[in-house]
Amino acid sequence: MRLRVEFTTEPFDLDEAPAHAVVAREVVEAAELDEVDVGPFGNTAEGGADAVLTAVDALLRRSLEAGATRISLQVNVVEESAGEESVAGEGER
């Protein structure tokens, strides 16, 4: 299963990236994810379920430790990429 996570950390600071935002970026960039898009107002990452869930756990823990007072996130199941088969699809021929 593939998942996409979208997240933001708060409080915002438009002048300089706060420590919790930097930590969140470091977590997703270091994770074994297929796609990562980091921006000033929102971030997305995509990959296998285990990798995304592991990254989300680290993201929550480390961002809160770094001073985040709110973390908003959404996790969606996404379709497998072309050429990838899901476990359920392997037996179907």
Side-chain angles (χ1 to χ4, degrees):
M1 174 186 318
R2 287 184 61 77
L3 300 176
R4 177 182 302 125
V5 61
E6 301 173 43
F7 66 92
T8 58
T9 62
E10 296 180 40
F12 294 113
D13 184 343
L14 296 178
D15 295 327
E16 183 178 328
H20 58 80
V22 173
V23 165
R25 180 179 63 223
E26 290 171 351
V27 167
V28 295
E29 288 178 342
E32 295 180 18
L33 302 170
D34 301 329
E35 298 177 33
V36 174
D37 183 20
V38 177
F41 301 108
N43 310 284
T44 60
E46 188 173 314
D50 287 338
V52 170
L53 295 173
T54 298
V56 166
D57 178 62
L59 167 76
L60 292 171
R61 292 174 189 277
R62 293 192 50 210
S63 295
L64 290 168
E65 289 171 0
T69 58
R70 178 180 176 145
I71 302 168
S72 302
L73 65 91
Q74 178 174 320
V75 178
N76 293 296
V77 176
V78 295
E79 292 185 24
E80 299 288 333
S81 299
E84 292 183 18
E85 290 187 38
S86 65
V87 174
E90 289 178 5
E92 301 172 4
R93 301 229 187 269

